[in-house]
Amino acid sequence: PPWPNPFTESVTVSWHAIAGTPSHSAVYDALGRRLHKEELLPVSAGSREWTWNASSVTPGRYFVRIEQDGQSQSTTVLKAR
């Protein structure tokens, strides 16, 4: 799960990485517009973390998606005032 949630400036999301597989992170707003996309370099297998600096967006609900090897994991985060 993401933490902290709700958050004010940044939020961290964890996922399980597959060895040697590149991953991508993306953040979408409530209307489905992609606000951020980042390629995450291939790493060894295991738990990984990615932090989104959301200081430039307004308070509200956002959706974070981590994609790798044709699979995706999505979670909802809430930016507080």
Side-chain angles (χ1 to χ4, degrees):
W3 71 92
N5 196 19
F7 66 98
T8 55
E9 292 296 321
S10 64
V11 63
T12 300
V13 177
S14 62
W15 81 99
H16 184 80
I18 299 170
T21 303
S23 303
H24 296 85
S25 62
V27 179
Y28 300 87
D29 66 11
L31 297 176
R33 296 177 293 204
R34 187 174 67 205
L35 305 176
H36 179 86
K37 184 171 184 178
E38 184 175 334
E39 182 174 352
L40 308 172
L41 299 176
V43 294
S44 58
S47 291
R48 298 289 172 249
E49 296 177 351
W50 173 73
T51 300
W52 176 44
N53 179 345
S55 61
S56 65
V57 300
T58 59
R61 184 176 305 244
Y62 296 91
F63 303 93
V64 178
R65 172 180 259 172
I66 303 291
E67 299 175 358
Q68 67 174 354
D69 199 30
Q71 299 179 6
S72 67
Q73 169 189 330
S74 296
T75 190
T76 302
V77 296
L78 181 64
K79 181 174 181 183
R81 295 181 190 254

